[in-house]
Amino acid sequence: DIRMTQSPSSLSASVGDRVTITCRASQNIYTSLNWYQHVPGKVPKLLIFAASSLRSGVPSRFSGSGSGTDFTLTITGLQPEDFATYYCQHDFIMPSSFGQGTKVEI
Amino acid sequence: QLHLQESGPGQVQPLETLSLTCTVSGDSMRSYHWGWIRQPPGKGLEWIGSIYYSGSAYYSLSLRSRLALSVDTSKSQFSLRLNSVTAADTAIYYCARGGQTAITQYAYWGQGIQVTVSS
């Protein structure tokens, strides 16, 4: 079972800030890593797949990087609608698993 | 436009079986993986399992002894059965569509259904 660990668990930021969230896998998952945004009361939204591929329709201020065991989600120029919880998830082998989440607060 | 809708009871008695169904509309189920994810109150997302349109399934290690997934492509539905539920199974349950090769790349989600385990 592959464990996904995110850091930090929460962070405070302001509109316009650059925010970086880290995700570490317990073993090599190559680039089989997805990032989701979850706004309370809404449905989780896929932002990034295969570690660095931006899903169509997702603003370009979101970017992903990394391979192997260490990954990063970066939001460049935080917007009001970006305050949410972000999750990484591996898709390397089954069973899949999510990180514990990173809450981005004002 | 792909649409997924969860259905099932909002409340289940402890030690009983939770049964949920996800109805798919707007596209064929063929060639895709279909998944279940849940979020307990105040906690993060938890992957439950995934089933291919042909019926092969993958399960969370922590739930596999109590869990069964099934699919009925003729009805455009896939289902979850979780037996011997406890309060720890109280959560919002989501169904989602995975990829054709990336099994758990969930680009499309249902709205979620709140399930409470209580007598």
Side-chain angles (χ1 to χ4, degrees), chain A residues 19-39:
Chain A
V19 168
T20 298
I21 299 168
T22 297
C23 176
R24 175 164 288 177
S26 60
Q27 68 181 73
N28 186 353
I29 61 169
Y30 299 89
T31 57
S32 299
L33 192 283
N34 306 313
W35 287 99
Y36 298 85
Q37 176 193 63
H38 194 192
V39 175

Side-chain angles (χ1 to χ4, degrees), chain A residues 32-38 43-50 53 55-56 58 87-99, chain B residues 2 4 6 22 24 32-38 45-53 56-60 67 69 78 80 93-110:
Chain A
S32 299
L33 192 283
N34 306 313
W35 287 99
Y36 298 85
Q37 176 193 63
H38 194 192
V43 173
K45 177 183 178 182
L46 177 67
L47 301 174
I48 304 281
F49 61 95
S53 296
R55 182 188 176 190
S56 176
V58 174
Y87 296 91
C88 63
Q89 176 219 18
H90 86 81
D91 191 37
F92 180 56
I93 54 173
M94 294 302 103
S96 176
S97 59
F98 289 90
Chain B
L2 181 70
L4 295 89
E6 304 88 351
C22 184
V24 179
Y32 286 96
H33 293 85
W34 303 88
W36 291 96
I37 303 98
R38 70 181 183 181
L45 300 175
E46 178 185 6
W47 185 78
I48 296 173
S50 176
I51 189 163
Y52 195 43
Y53 81 99
S56 58
Y58 303 98
Y59 297 104
S60 160
L67 180 63
L69 302 184
F78 61 106
L80 169 157
Y93 285 75
Y94 297 97
C95 61
R97 191 184 82 172
Q100 293 180 306
T101 53
I103 297 172
T104 61
Q105 189 181 101
Y106 297 125
Y108 298 94
W109 296 62

Side-chain angles (χ1 to χ4, degrees), chain A residues 75-95:
Chain A
I75 310 171
T76 303
L78 198 66
Q79 296 300 301
E81 60 268 30
D82 300 338
F83 291 94
T85 300
Y86 293 84
Y87 296 91
C88 63
Q89 176 219 18
H90 86 81
D91 191 37
F92 180 56
I93 54 173
M94 294 302 103

